[in-house]
Amino acid sequence: MPLLMLDLDNTLVDRDAAFRAAATALLAEHALPETDIEWLMALDASGYTPKPAVAEAMADRYGAAPPVSAIRTLLDRGAADRVVLAETTREALTTTLANGWTCVIVTNGRVVQQESKIRNTGLDRLVQGWVISEGIGCRGHPRRRPGGRGGPRCCRAPRTARRTRRR
């Protein structure tokens, strides 16, 4: 069976749209300027800016409004709670699977956040497994990508593939 390794954020799902929705809601909830959304999107850089740096910049800009807990919630769960799987993507994956491909998600980030996106969108029921950078010992957005580990981890016996999730 051929193996197809797929990126999660801004490939299978529109992570930026989900973050934009969460950030817009945070700005509105705390009566902050709605025009700051562009600043927040640039600061976030599609998730590539380290979360502590985003939190610090937001605290510097806004002070205590919003509270640290709201900023933490935005960064930890905001995009994950709002991400959706487009029907066209679902159909493409279904067709790919029907044509005999093994589909594995290979993504950077924290296990809790990325698995939340995978499960919330139903991707866990469509793919054969996933590899998340934190789960294989890579922190943040590593220079050494986890992509090369996707195939071997999903093809090993479950006893040795503890960090790879299966449906």
Side-chain angles (χ1 to χ4, degrees), residues 152-166:
R153 291 215 178 240
C154 287
C155 298
R156 289 184 189 159
R159 180 174 58 82
T160 60
R162 291 183 301 261
R163 292 185 182 119
T164 298
R165 305 296 190 249
R166 292 195 162 272

Side-chain angles (χ1 to χ4, degrees), residues 2-167:
L3 174 65
L4 178 61
M5 294 189 290
L6 302 153
D7 184 34
L8 179 63
D9 291 326
N10 293 325
T11 301
L12 288 173
V13 297
D14 190 344
R15 183 257 177 219
D16 286 349
F19 183 80
R20 180 180 289 274
T24 298
L26 176 112
L27 292 173
E29 182 179 334
H30 296 282
L32 298 169
E34 63 185 48
T35 55
D36 277 8
I37 191 60
E38 297 310 323
W39 175 80
L40 275 171
M41 294 303 294
L43 175 64
D44 175 64
S46 294
Y48 283 94
T49 305
K51 303 278 184 252
V54 174
E56 183 179 343
M58 290 179 71
D60 288 348
R61 186 172 183 113
Y62 301 122
V68 172
S69 62
I71 293 172
R72 188 175 309 119
T73 298
L74 168 69
L75 299 177
D76 287 346
R77 297 194 315 262
D81 288 349
R82 287 177 169 78
V83 75
V84 296
L85 182 64
E87 190 56 36
T88 54
T89 303
R90 182 181 310 280
E91 290 168 3
L93 276 172
T94 301
T95 300
T96 301
L97 291 164
N99 285 316
W101 286 80
T102 297
C103 296
V104 177
I105 297 170
V106 180
T107 187
N108 291 315
R110 294 178 307 120
V111 171
V112 170
Q113 188 175 56
Q114 298 302 77
E115 283 190 347
S116 177
K117 293 175 192 175
I118 291 167
R119 293 184 197 291
N120 289 347
T121 58
L123 282 165
D124 59 322
R125 296 182 302 276
L126 292 172
V127 300
Q128 281 76 24
W130 51 87
V131 177
I132 300 169
S133 62
E134 182 186 67
I136 59 171
C138 297
R139 303 266 313 163
H141 294 278
R143 298 212 186 289
R144 178 181 50 123
R145 302 287 184 195
R149 297 183 184 188
R153 291 215 178 240
C154 287
C155 298
R156 289 184 189 159
R159 180 174 58 82
T160 60
R162 291 183 301 261
R163 292 185 182 119
T164 298
R165 305 296 190 249
R166 292 195 162 272
R167 56 182 178 136

